[in-house]
C-alpha cells in the first residue's frame, strides 16, 4: 500500500499551495508522513534551488520547514481528536511564525530528510519543531507556530 | 539612469541564488535598492505562488525577506566602510537565522513592497528587520541575523 501523506487528505479547493498542494503543478509537493509521533519528509532539491555553488537555498529550506510543520500540526490534531485525517470538520492551521536557524551549509545533490514533532498543542495553536538533515548532518532547525482556524477557506 | 540594486554587484560566480541571483534563470530575481537608510524591493507574486485561494504562499514571503535582508546587510556594510558596492574585498553575508511573523493574509494579484533596515551592525553579524506591505497593509515582518563571511565561495 502506498503510504498516505496528510496533504493527500487536504480538501481539493485548498490543495493549491505552492509548497504542499497536490493541485499546484509548479509547486514543491511537500508531503508529511506522520507515524503518531514524528512527521517525516524527504526531498531532493532541484539544481536551480541553489544559494551559491554547492549549497541549497535557505528560502527553500524555510519553505520545506513551513509546510511540513503545518502538515505535522494537522496530522497530530486529527490524532488527538481520534479522527481520520481529512474527516469533517476539516482541521487546518496557518503559519503564525516561522523561525529557522541555519546551522551548517546544506549540500546540493543529496536527498534531505525533515523530521518534525509537536512541542506544544493548545486549542488555538500548536508549536512544531522541525530539523533538516543531509545524511547524519543537521543543517537547519525550525520552529513553527501553527494557528488553528476554522477552515483555510475562511482566511480568504 | 536605471537604478542599481546591490545584487547587480554580486560576483558572477555566486550570482546564481534562486532568490536573488541574476544568473539563475528560474529564480525570483530579488533586488535590493538601498538609499542609505532603507532597502526597498517591489515584487508581484506569480499566480502559482499561492498558499490557498487569494493568499500568497508564506514560504515565498520568507524567501523574499531572506534575500532582501541579506542584500540590505551587504549594502549597509559597504556604506559603513565608505566603499563602492562590489569593490574588493567583496563583502558578503549568509543567513544565520530567519524569523518571520505573518500578521495578515497577504493578498494575491497586487505588487508587494518590502522595506528593510539594519537594526544592529557588528563586526561579525548584522540584524536586519524587514516588513512586507500590500498597499498600506503590513502583512508580514521578519528579522534576519546576517553572518559575515570572508566570501560566499569560502562557505562551500
Amino acid at each position: 500500500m502506498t503510504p498516505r501523506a496528510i496533504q493527500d487528505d487536504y480538501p481539493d479547493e485548498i490543495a493549491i499551495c505552492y509548497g504542499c498542494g497536490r493541485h499546484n503543478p509548479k509547486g514543491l509537493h511537500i508531503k508529511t508522513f506522520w507515524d503518531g509521533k514524528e512527521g517525516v519528509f524527504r526531498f531532493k532539491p532541484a539544481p536551480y534551488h541553489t544559494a551559491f555553488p554547492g549549497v541549497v537555498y535557505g528560502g527553500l529550506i524555510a519553505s520545506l520547514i513551513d509546510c511540513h510543520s503545518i502538515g505535522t500540526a494537522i496530522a497530530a490534531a486529527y490524532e488527538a481528536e481520534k479522527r481520520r485525517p481529512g474527516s469533517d470538520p476539516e482541521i487546518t492551521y496557518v503559519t503564525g511564525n516561522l523561525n529557522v536557524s541555519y546551522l551548517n551549509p546544506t549540500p546540493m545533490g543529496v536527498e534531505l530528510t525533515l523530521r518534525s514533532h509537536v512541542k506544544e498543542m493548545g486549542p488555538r495553536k500548536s508549536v512544531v519543531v522541525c530539523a533538516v538533515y543531509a545524511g547524519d548532518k543537521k543543517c537547519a532547525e525550525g520552529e513553527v507556530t501553527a494557528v488553528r482556524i476554522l477552515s483555510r477557506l475562511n482566511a480568504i
Side-chain angles (χ1 to χ4, degrees), chain A:
Chain A
M1 208 176 82
T2 310
R4 196 162 176 85
I6 187 71
Q7 288 83 3
D8 295 329
D9 288 314
Y10 288 0
D12 279 323
E13 320 85 81
I14 60 170
I16 60 168
C17 173
Y18 180 78
C20 63
R22 62 187 181 277
H23 297 314
N24 188 325
K26 297 213 176 193
L28 300 170
H29 299 147
I30 295 164
K31 288 186 182 289
T32 299
F33 298 97
W34 170 251
D35 69 2
K37 283 192 303 190
E38 185 180 60
V40 176
F41 170 55
R42 295 180 208 281
F43 183 83
K44 188 168 177 185
Y48 54 82
H49 285 141
T50 191
F52 37 94
V55 177
V56 176
Y57 175 49
L60 174 79
I61 291 168
S63 298
L64 300 178
I65 289 173
D66 183 11
C67 283
H68 181 54
S69 297
I70 291 293
T72 301
I74 292 172
Y78 277 112
E79 180 155 317
E81 297 182 13
K82 303 188 194 320
R83 292 207 278 131
R84 187 177 54 77
S87 60
D88 281 332
E90 175 209 354
I91 294 177
T92 194
Y93 286 81
V94 294
T95 307
N97 180 267
L98 167 65
N99 190 340
V100 180
S101 292
Y102 299 92
L103 308 175
N104 287 293
T106 304
M108 292 290 288
V110 299
E111 187 179 69
L112 306 177
T113 302
L114 281 80
R115 296 187 178 280
S116 57
H117 66 274
V118 177
K119 183 178 156 188
E120 297 168 32
M121 187 189 290
R124 277 207 62 246
K125 64 181 186 181
S126 288
V127 178
V128 178
V129 293
C130 179
V132 180
Y133 295 89
D136 292 337
K137 185 170 122 184
K138 191 197 265 193
C139 298
E141 62 189 7
E143 187 167 296
V144 169
T145 302
V147 179
R148 189 161 174 174
I149 58 173
L150 271 178
S151 163
R152 277 187 278 199
L153 291 168
N154 292 341
I156 299 162

